[in-house]
Amino acid sequence: MSVLKVYEYGEAVLRTPAEPVHKVSAKIQKLVSDMFETMVAQDGVGLAAPQVGVSKQVLVLDCSPDNPKDGPMVMINPKIVQKSGAYLSREGCLSFPNVYIDVKRYETITVRFMDLKGRNQQLTISAERLLCRAIQHEIDHLNGILFIDHAMDRFGTDQLLAQAGLPAIEPGKLLSEPEIEALLKQASAALPENHPIPENVLT
Ligand code: ZN
């Protein structure tokens, strides 16, 4: 296992939609181990493959500090199939060191994905668990969407980016909520139908 470089805001890979995974190969398994090691080394609760420069639909999570039930988890080709409600979430991102902003997230989501053993999984989760917003944040990464796109306070976000020594928001690249919705819908439709009927339902 090795700790990988975490790509920071400004790198093109963070704005590039990731490719679906067709097979959980040894290469994908190695990527997942390295992503876990990198996430732990950086004290993160979630990490998406594009953040380590790999444009693949793979994310890892470990929200056990928030809830012991939400330990290490891998999601391959994840998609949100149901969502409702909205709430404000204060979030950070390993690709934006020292930047914390309020973003709008869904209150309850149902996500379908493939696990590391190639099994189909479905999980419904709501806002009282950190995992709920972590999943939304990481799935965004797989689609070239960043948390600054959801920021409630655009001016404040610009100031935070400047303070952190990160590039300023490029107005042409910032996505609006309808654009985000359209992108996620398009991405979901493009994912292989490897999870039409979930085999396991986790709650
Ligand atoms: Zn992030």
Side-chain angles (χ1 to χ4, degrees):
M1 298 219 294
S2 34
V3 172
L4 306 170
K5 173 190 159 187
V6 175
Y7 285 64
E8 292 186 0
Y9 175 54
E11 301 269 10
V13 69
L14 295 175
R15 280 298 192 191
T16 307
E19 296 289 325
V21 171
H22 296 286
K23 186 170 174 274
V24 186
S25 60
K27 205 170 158 187
I28 294 291
Q29 289 176 341
K30 166 88 167 65
L31 170 68
V32 166
S33 321
D34 289 348
M35 283 172 66
F36 270 119
E37 196 174 343
T38 307
M39 181 177 73
V40 169
Q42 299 279 346
D43 252 342
V45 295
L47 187 68
Q51 291 182 278
V52 292
V54 179
S55 207
K56 291 278 180 198
Q57 294 266 344
V58 177
L59 61 86
V60 299
L61 300 152
D62 185 351
C63 294
S64 52
D66 172 66
N67 185 325
K69 272 170 74 181
D70 299 334
M73 195 178 287
V74 181
M75 293 188 178
I76 297 168
N77 302 338
K79 59 171 147 185
I80 294 171
V81 292
Q82 265 176 2
K83 57 206 179 188
S84 61
Y87 76 114
L88 268 191
S89 157
R90 161 97 8 140
E91 295 180 13
C93 177
L94 294 180
S95 298
F96 290 77
N98 305 314
V99 175
Y100 297 89
I101 52 178
D102 289 328
V103 300
K104 202 171 86 182
R105 296 291 182 196
Y106 293 108
E107 221 164 18
T108 304
I109 56 165
T110 297
V111 62
R112 283 189 190 171
F113 58 97
M114 186 162 72
D115 69 14
L116 202 54
K117 291 182 175 159
R119 297 176 305 198
N120 307 319
Q121 303 272 10
Q122 176 169 302
L123 176 65
T124 296
I125 192 153
S126 51
E128 68 275 4
R129 278 153 81 184
L130 172 63
L131 183 61
C132 182
R133 55 186 132 137
I135 291 171
Q136 294 178 68
H137 181 116
E138 302 309 334
I139 289 182
D140 275 356
H141 273 303
L142 299 182
N143 295 289
I145 300 161
L146 299 171
F147 74 156
I148 54 173
D149 296 323
H150 294 284
M152 303 302 288
D153 176 3
R154 164 78 194 283
F155 180 69
T157 302
D158 255 334
Q159 285 185 316
L160 289 171
L161 292 177
Q163 282 163 17
L166 289 164
I169 288 175
E170 294 170 88
K173 287 197 180 168
L174 207 64
L175 300 165
S176 67
E177 291 296 335
E179 283 169 333
I180 290 171
E181 283 300 312
L183 252 175
L184 289 175
K185 206 171 158 189
Q186 198 186 357
S188 282
L191 282 176
E193 267 308 318
N194 52 9
H195 35 46
I197 304 161
E199 290 165 7
N200 295 293
V201 176
L202 311 173
T203 52

